[in-house]
Amino acid sequence: VQAPVKLRGYSVTRIEHTTQKQFKEKTEAFAHSVPTNGVALVYFIGLGANIDRQGKTYNLLRPSDVEIRNEGDYRSRCLNLGELIEALTEISGSRHNLVFIDACWDSPIRPDDQNVKGGMKSFDVPAGTLAMFATTSQGTLALPASDAPSKLAIALAKHLAKHDTSMKAACEAIRDDIGNAWFGGARDAGIGPAPIA
């Protein structure tokens, strides 16, 4: 875990090999750190899975220290993407939340449970939030070799500035570069400058 770093007006927090406890604590701390009318950007790379249960979809991001044996373990020990977005919406003072999830390949360490599917699944994105996955749960995406950046990371860095003028155009450009992606909540308008107080 690294402390936030300020660079060109941005505060950057990097968390690696996160434990279950750190996942929750650092997510909430990040949400509290977003200034009023700021823009929160979350990029996650790691293992993820989705579960459909009683008409509800759970997109789950896996910490590095948990043992997963079944669906119940996934739901109780992983970070629910919906709860992450809820924290950004309710705790932070952001005007926009940009969430990019690079956990969409089929997990090689998924439990032998028919209800658990590798990768993320599309969902209804709340107002004020953009969510994007490198690929849907129906597709696969190879893990990057060693420490090389993933296709989503490369495309995101290349097209990030486009979000200033059109979130939708930025997402379409990223999708064109990586070949397969899902996004929701993107507006034709951009994130724009912070309102003047």
Side-chain angles (χ1 to χ4, degrees):
V1 179
Q2 297 180 356
V5 176
K6 288 236 177 217
L7 181 65
R8 295 185 182 176
Y10 294 92
S11 179
V12 179
T13 302
R14 180 174 176 160
I15 306 169
E16 296 183 74
H17 308 296
T18 315
T19 65
Q20 183 181 4
K21 182 180 179 185
Q22 287 174 332
F23 224 153
K24 182 174 176 55
E25 290 176 350
K26 295 300 176 181
T27 297
E28 290 182 0
F30 173 74
H32 280 291
S33 75
V34 179
T36 301
N37 289 321
V39 175
L41 189 152
V42 175
Y43 172 82
F44 174 89
I45 184 168
L47 294 174
N50 72 82
I51 298 168
D52 283 320
R53 183 174 176 80
Q54 298 177 342
K56 185 174 180 180
T57 295
Y58 296 85
N59 283 311
L60 302 163
L61 309 176
R62 183 173 177 159
S64 61
D65 69 330
V66 298
E67 182 179 345
I68 303 291
R69 295 181 302 273
N70 54 45
E71 172 190 332
D73 288 346
Y74 247 117
R75 288 190 293 113
S76 65
R77 299 177 183 176
C78 295
L79 180 68
N80 185 329
L81 179 57
E83 291 175 4
L84 167 63
I85 292 173
E86 188 175 292
L88 291 173
T89 302
E90 295 181 2
I91 297 175
S92 81
S94 64
R95 69 182 189 278
H96 292 295
N97 302 309
L98 309 179
V99 180
F100 298 89
I101 305 297
D102 215 343
C104 307
W105 47 79
D106 283 332
S107 168
I109 51 176
R110 233 177 5 180
D112 187 17
D113 188 321
Q114 294 299 317
N115 291 332
V116 179
K117 309 283 191 300
M120 302 287 99
K121 186 173 182 180
S122 60
F123 66 102
D124 292 330
V125 180
T129 298
L130 159 72
M132 186 171 205
F133 307 148
T135 184
T136 65
S137 59
Q138 289 74 35
T140 58
L141 184 67
L143 284 163
S146 65
D147 290 332
S150 70
K151 288 182 179 180
L152 177 59
I154 293 168
L156 176 58
K158 178 179 174 183
H159 299 293
L160 186 59
K162 288 186 174 75
H163 283 285
D164 288 343
T165 54
S166 172
M167 296 165 70
K168 186 177 178 182
C171 289
E172 288 173 346
I174 292 169
R175 183 183 59 196
D176 289 346
D177 276 9
I178 66 177
N180 191 15
W182 173 89
F183 62 88
R187 309 178 312 159
D188 286 327
I191 59 176
I196 299 173

